Amino acid sequence: MSTRLSVNVNKIALIRNARGSNFPDLSKICKDIESYGAEGITVHPRPDERHITYADIPVLKSLSQTEFNIEGNPHERKFMDLVLDNCPHQCTLVPDAANALTSDSGWDTIKHAAFLTDTIAELQSKNIRVSIFCDPNFKMIEGAKKVGADRIEFYTGPYADNYHNNRAKAVKPYAEAAIIAQQNDLGINAGHDLNLDNLRYFAQEVPHLMEVSIGHALVVDALYYGLQNTVQMYLHQLR
Ligand code: PXP
């Protein structure tokens, strides 16, 4: 099974927003990213709309030829309405604070079980696949199954942080947790701080990895290698 690459385009929106005009044109960039071989587009609208705006979502969804994934915190009713109105292929639920710089941990699927169960059912009633952001923790993964998630997305920040010290040790919790997820019939995605150094090893070592979503490093790499080369370099890591 090859792992799909979904490109998170938040950082491109951030550059556009810096000048208040439509440059670079995010719609064109998303179409180009797909034409270069990426198998999905991910957007993560946050309440302050500092990168992707709520108004971007219907436009990008209507253009998308691959898989459209919206990430965000469902405690915001505005986020839920946006997802339900636009029906992406996948919604990834993330427990980040409204003013968080970036996501930094997975759900406590036991503490938030009632809320997650209702939220996931509401999204699934519109045929939206639901993935929930998760640390590689067996109890949280079993909790993800109980609340009805279709997939989990591993939070890979700690893997990336520890990769250069001891990559075997860094990946071990994820490889083990993937087996638990598979036994619970949960699909497996992953994301955060994956890059051209650490991606191949993660995809090799973590069984049943269906999808990675990558934004920050990919956009930075595109400054050096160009967007087309960069997308293809990431795809190459996964093949
Ligand atoms: N997955 C989630 C839930 C995220 O919040 C982010 C960052 O927005 C990513 C994946 C992608 O992380 P990165 O930008 O470090 O590749």
Side-chain angles (χ1 to χ4, degrees):
M1 184 187 79
S2 79
T3 305
R4 295 168 71 100
L5 172 67
S6 184
V7 176
N8 179 319
V9 295
N10 269 31
K11 286 288 143 57
I12 296 167
L14 188 74
I15 297 172
R16 176 201 59 189
N17 296 354
R19 283 294 176 92
S21 63
N22 191 33
F23 181 68
D25 178 343
L26 194 56
S27 300
K28 179 179 181 327
I29 291 193
C30 288
K31 277 197 260 176
D32 288 342
I33 286 171
E34 289 182 325
S35 77
Y36 302 151
E39 294 127 329
I41 297 290
T42 291
V43 290
H44 190 146
R46 287 201 162 86
D48 61 7
E49 300 184 89
R50 65 183 184 269
H51 14 57
I52 288 292
T53 66
Y54 286 72
D56 283 326
I57 306 289
V59 179
L60 298 183
K61 166 71 190 358
S62 71
L63 292 172
S64 164
Q65 300 287 316
T66 57
E67 183 185 276
F68 195 61
N69 175 42
I70 307 181
E71 299 174 346
N73 190 329
H75 279 109
E76 295 282 333
R77 189 63 223 177
K78 200 173 163 197
F79 173 82
M80 283 297 285
D81 290 342
L82 181 81
V83 177
L84 292 164
D85 287 347
N86 288 283
C87 286
H89 301 96
Q90 177 172 271
C91 177
T92 303
L93 305 180
V94 187
D96 54 351
N99 57 354
L101 197 55
T102 184
S103 321
D104 58 3
S105 64
W107 284 96
D108 184 331
T109 55
I110 296 166
K111 188 170 164 195
H112 298 287
F115 171 72
L116 285 170
T117 302
D118 292 349
T119 304
I120 291 170
E122 191 177 3
L123 294 165
Q124 288 171 337
S125 74
K126 292 272 224 159
N127 289 324
I128 300 167
R129 185 173 76 227
V130 182
S131 177
I132 65 176
F133 207 43
C134 221
D135 296 313
N137 172 311
F138 294 2
K139 287 227 167 332
M140 295 305 137
I141 293 167
E142 285 161 4
K145 179 63 185 176
K146 287 199 185 113
V147 298
D150 301 295
R151 294 193 187 181
I152 53 166
E153 180 182 322
F154 281 135
Y155 169 49
T156 49
Y159 163 73
D161 286 346
N162 294 314
Y163 177 82
H164 286 291
N165 295 336
N166 183 338
R167 66 181 193 167
K169 197 170 161 200
V171 86
K172 191 164 178 273
Y174 298 87
E176 291 173 352
I179 293 167
I180 302 298
Q182 167 79 0
Q183 285 167 354
N184 280 279
D185 203 22
L186 287 162
I188 302 170
N189 298 342
H192 222 284
D193 298 314
L194 294 173
N195 60 37
L196 286 173
D197 282 339
N198 62 31
L199 176 60
R200 181 185 292 278
Y201 185 69
F202 191 85
Q204 271 171 7
E205 297 298 313
V206 176
H208 317 293
L209 183 62
M210 301 178 92
E211 180 181 303
V212 287
S213 73
I214 306 183
H216 187 78
L218 190 149
V219 171
V220 174
D221 288 328
L223 297 175
Y224 288 94
Y225 307 122
L227 191 53
Q228 179 165 10
N229 283 333
T230 301
V231 169
Q232 287 166 3
M233 288 160 85
Y234 276 80
L235 286 169
H236 185 66
Q237 303 302 307
L238 296 169
R239 299 292 178 262

